[in-house]
Amino acid sequence: VTSDPLIQENDSVLLYLSPRKNWIVRARASQEFHTHLGRVQLGNLVGLAYGAQVHSTTGEVLWALRPSLYDLIRKSERRTQVLYPKDLGFVAARTGLGPGQIVVEVGTGSGVLTAFAANLVRPTGHVYTFEARPEFAEVARRNLERVGLGEYVTLGVRDAIGGIGVTGADVALLDVGAPWELVPSLGAALKGSGMLAAICPTMNQIERLVESLGAGGFVDVESVELLLRSMEARTGMTRPSTRMHAHTAYLVFARKVLASA
Ligand SMILES: C[S@@+](CC[C@H](N)C(=O)[O-])C[C@H]1O[C@@H](n2cnc3c(N)ncnc32)[C@H](O)[C@@H]1O
């Protein structure tokens, strides 16, 4: 068993007060973080163990936690609709995303799904992602560098409808408004038996996509929606929360097959 390294100068730290009040900061000497609960000296974080407590100038207790990739991602700059962990997790499980794989993705958007996939395929795998709009590609590039995953990603700034120039991919990820238009490009990029996962906010997208997948050399087509219900856990009164996210996206999965000779 090796001991966990202590917080170093410039490390990212999740300053945690409550589920809604938490912030990602850098441990930096002579810098202060201002909250409505007073100030925290960020230099005091250096040398602490992750999980230690720190005090604000008003005596409030905050916890210095190690940010997970999801913490880093949910605090990143967003210009497009991004994915929820329930959907990210199911995409990973259903496609079998794992180390060493080649992944193709259209479109990159803010790069949230890109970062999630890059983290799973590294260090020997790679994500080739395509984004038609340069301003979104720039945001994604910044987000990927900030979470330290840029080296596992190649970002093509162009429309992917005409083809993407990658072959032999294990997994294709699709999150665009007209996913059926990308079936030929992603079909050509995937290897035989490769998995496609599409994120579709609306039902009409699923319908058109599933028609195209059937006609485009894919089998094992499955469409799902995952519902996540939070619990309010209190001694003797535990029950589901009154409100829930009713809808995030539908997920469509399919496997590429090879044309018979
Ligand atoms: C909903 S966003 C993707 C969000 C992304 N999954 C994330 O986690 O941040 C869809 C993106 O696809 C891009 N896009 C749509 N059609 C495209 C195409 N044919 N080629 C490349 N990018 C495309 C859009 O510009 C947009 O940025």
Side-chain angles (χ1 to χ4, degrees):
V1 179
T2 54
S3 60
D4 209 24
L6 302 178
I7 298 172
Q8 310 280 309
E9 171 84 21
N10 228 18
D11 278 356
S12 292
V13 175
L14 181 70
L15 268 187
Y16 184 90
L17 181 71
S18 71
R20 282 168 188 268
K21 292 190 176 136
N22 53 79
W23 307 270
I24 291 193
V25 297
R26 292 284 184 124
R28 276 187 185 142
S30 69
Q31 284 197 10
E32 279 187 340
F33 180 70
H34 294 245
T35 75
H36 62 297
L37 301 163
R39 302 182 308 280
V40 177
Q41 299 295 336
L42 297 180
N44 292 347
L45 294 168
V46 176
L48 292 180
Y50 283 103
Q53 60 172 243
V54 288
H55 294 92
S56 72
T57 46
T58 58
E60 202 73 36
V61 171
L62 296 101
W63 303 97
L65 304 182
R66 184 194 291 282
S68 67
L69 177 66
Y70 190 71
D71 291 324
L72 293 169
I73 285 174
R74 73 193 165 92
K75 304 278 187 191
S76 30
E77 188 180 346
R78 295 170 185 198
R79 294 286 181 84
T80 52
Q81 181 64 46
V82 295
L83 296 172
Y84 284 74
K86 72 178 173 74
D87 296 319
L88 290 167
F90 195 70
V91 165
R94 184 68 171 75
T95 60
L97 268 177
Q101 290 181 336
I102 299 298
V103 176
V104 288
E105 181 194 34
V106 188
T108 319
S110 309
V112 169
L113 182 55
T114 322
F116 182 75
N119 188 46
L120 291 175
V121 303
R122 72 175 172 166
T124 50
H126 202 81
V127 181
Y128 296 87
T129 185
F130 296 85
E131 172 53 55
R133 295 182 55 175
E135 69 275 26
F136 293 162
E138 219 23 69
V139 171
R141 214 181 292 272
R142 277 202 296 275
N143 284 337
L144 288 161
E145 289 305 327
R146 201 175 56 83
V147 299
L149 292 167
E151 66 183 292
Y152 309 107
V153 177
T154 301
L155 205 169
V157 187
R158 63 186 168 82
D159 194 310
I161 288 181
I164 59 180
V166 177
T167 53
D170 300 282
V171 175
L173 303 172
L174 184 53
D175 185 6
V176 300
W180 53 90
E181 293 178 345
L182 275 306
V183 169
S185 294
L186 294 180
L190 279 169
K191 60 164 111 165
S193 197
M195 293 277 315
L196 178 141
I199 291 92
C200 299
T202 69
M203 288 212 178
N204 59 311
Q205 287 173 311
I206 303 185
E207 282 181 6
R208 288 192 66 177
L209 175 60
V210 168
E211 280 171 18
S212 306
L213 289 167
F218 283 85
V219 297
D220 189 21
V221 180
E222 184 191 26
S223 306
V224 303
E225 179 181 21
L226 304 174
L227 299 179
L228 180 76
R229 196 160 65 144
S230 295
M231 295 290 145
E232 289 182 11
R234 285 179 301 220
T235 307
M237 324 170 51
T238 297
R239 60 168 180 80
S241 300
T242 314
R243 296 195 175 88
M244 69 185 280
H245 280 288
H247 177 63
T248 57
Y250 305 108
L251 305 176
V252 179
F253 299 94
R255 271 176 221 242
K256 152 90 179 286
V257 286
L258 302 173
S260 53

